[in-house]
Amino acid sequence: THAMAAAAALRLVVTRKLPTAARAALTAAAGRAPAITLDVWESETEAMPRDELLRRVSGASGLLCLLTDRVDAEVMDAAGASLRAVSTMSVGFDHVDVAAATERGVLVSNTPGYLDDTTAELAVALLLATTRGLVTASNSIRAGEWGTWSPGQYCGVDIAGKTLGVVGLGRIGASFVRKMRGFDMARVLYAGRRRAAEEVEAATGAEFVDLDTLLAESDVVSLHCPLTDATRGLIDARALALMKPTAVLINTARAGVIDQDALIDALTTGKIFAAGTDVPDPEPMGADHPLLKVPNCVVLPHIGSATTAT
C-alpha cells in the first residue's frame, strides 16, 4: 500500500558516531520499527562536513545532530518535505533555526533535564579551579617552578561567607545553587528575565535582584542562561566594570553570553580577579588564542555534559 511504501522510506541521519550505549539504544529503537534506517556519520572526532550534511539529509525523515552542526533553512530545504523532526543531543538549541523549522512544520527537540546535575557539577569544579588557581598551580609543578614555600605563592580567594550571583535560575542554575549551599556562602542572588517560582526560591534560598545589583554585589558570578537575542553579549565591558576587582566569573552557558574581548581586557587589567569558562569561542580553540595566554582564566573544552552516563 501507499502507507507501507511511505513507511519504508523513513531514514534518520545521525551526524556523529555515538557512544556504544547510545548507539545500541538508537539501533534497538529503529529495530522495533523495521521501516526506519540509520544513516550515521561514522566519526567520533570529526564533525560532518557541511556539504556532506546537505547531501545526506536529502530525503531524510529525521536528523539527530550535535551542537556543532548548524541546522538552518538551507539544511531543511535540502532535506525537503520528507523532514519531520530535528533532534539535538544537547540542552542548548541555538544552532538550530527553530523559526525556519516551525515554518516548515518540522518538530525540534532537545534534551532538557538530562544534563542538569552533570553540568552543575562541572560549574562547581570550574569555580573551585578558578578561585584557587588550581590549573596554574599544577602547571607550575610540571614546569619545575615549585620552589621554597612563600606566603603569597599560589594564593586564591575564599568563597565561604561570600556572595554568589547566578544569572539564570533554571534547572541547571538551581542545581548549581543547591550544590554550592554546602560551601557556606553568605548570600545567593539571582537575575533573569523573570522571577523564579516560589518553590525554587525556597529550595535555593536565592534572592531575586536586577543584573547590575548582582554584578556589583557578588563575589562569584556564574552564568546559566540560554543564548538568545536578549542575552547575547550580556556580560560586556560595562557589565564587567560593575564587578568587584576580587570577583570571579564562571560561564557554563554559551560563549555568546560574554563579550570575550572585553573579558580578556578585564582579566589582564585587573578589573576582575579571574574567570573560568567551559564554552570558549571558537570551538575548538587553537592553542595560540589570546584567551589561553591569560593566566587567570581557566578554559575547558566544553565538557559540561561529558560523563559516561549523560
Side-chain angles (χ1 to χ4, degrees), residues 1 4 24 37 55 61 72-73 75 120 124 126 128 140 143 183 195 201 214 242 247 253 256 272:
T1 66
M4 292 177 64
T37 60
R55 184 185 70 80
S61 301
D72 53 13
V75 171
V124 173
L126 188 55
L128 294 173
S140 75
F183 289 90
R195 190 163 186 166
E201 289 189 340
L214 182 146
L242 293 174
I272 63 174

Side-chain angles (χ1 to χ4, degrees), residues 61-310:
S61 301
L63 174 65
L64 176 58
C65 65
L66 277 67
L67 53 83
T68 50
D69 304 305
R70 179 166 52 88
V71 182
D72 53 13
E74 182 184 26
V75 171
M76 297 176 203
D77 288 342
S82 63
L83 187 65
R84 301 181 185 182
V86 172
S87 297
T88 177
M89 200 170 74
S90 61
V91 174
F93 51 88
D94 47 282
H95 56 294
V96 179
D97 189 335
V98 177
T102 301
E103 284 181 11
R104 292 160 177 77
V106 175
L107 175 70
V108 177
S109 64
N110 62 339
T111 58
Y114 285 94
L115 312 178
D116 296 354
D117 286 330
T118 304
T119 304
E121 288 171 5
L122 191 279
V124 173
L126 188 55
L127 186 158
L128 294 173
T130 303
T131 55
R132 297 300 298 270
L134 300 187
V135 175
T136 300
S138 180
N139 287 342
S140 75
I141 299 174
R142 291 175 168 82
E145 298 169 354
W146 186 16
T148 304
W149 180 85
S150 62
Q153 190 178 30
Y154 306 133
C155 282
V157 294
D158 294 310
I159 57 176
K162 301 295 182 63
T163 297
L164 172 64
V166 175
V167 181
L169 197 65
R171 288 185 298 267
I172 295 174
S175 178
F176 170 72
V177 171
R178 289 194 298 271
K179 290 168 175 54
M180 289 303 301
R181 299 297 292 183
F183 289 90
D184 297 327
M185 301 197 77
R187 299 174 68 202
V188 178
L189 308 178
Y190 80 95
R193 61 179 179 175
R194 59 176 177 267
R195 190 163 186 166
E198 290 184 7
E199 56 268 26
V200 175
E201 289 189 340
T204 58
E207 173 189 350
F208 185 56
V209 296
D210 62 81
L211 180 62
D212 285 2
T213 298
L214 182 146
L215 294 171
E217 297 185 8
S218 297
D219 298 290
V220 176
V221 175
S222 189
L223 306 178
H224 299 277
C225 53
L227 179 61
T228 65
D229 290 341
T231 61
R232 188 176 300 277
L234 183 69
I235 306 301
D236 55 10
R238 189 196 76 85
L240 290 161
L242 293 174
M243 295 176 64
K244 301 176 182 179
T246 55
V248 168
L249 177 64
I250 303 297
N251 187 15
T252 54
R254 283 290 185 267
V257 177
I258 297 179
D259 179 335
Q260 194 163 269
D261 290 336
L263 175 62
I264 292 173
D265 177 72
L267 290 167
T268 55
T269 59
K271 293 183 177 72
I272 63 174
F273 178 76
T277 179
D278 185 43
V279 284
D281 180 32
E283 294 185 19
M285 176 173 279
D288 59 345
H289 193 280
L291 187 65
L292 300 180
K293 310 298 182 185
V294 181
N296 52 338
C297 186
V298 177
V299 182
L300 300 179
H302 206 150
I303 58 172
S305 62
T307 67
T308 304
T310 56

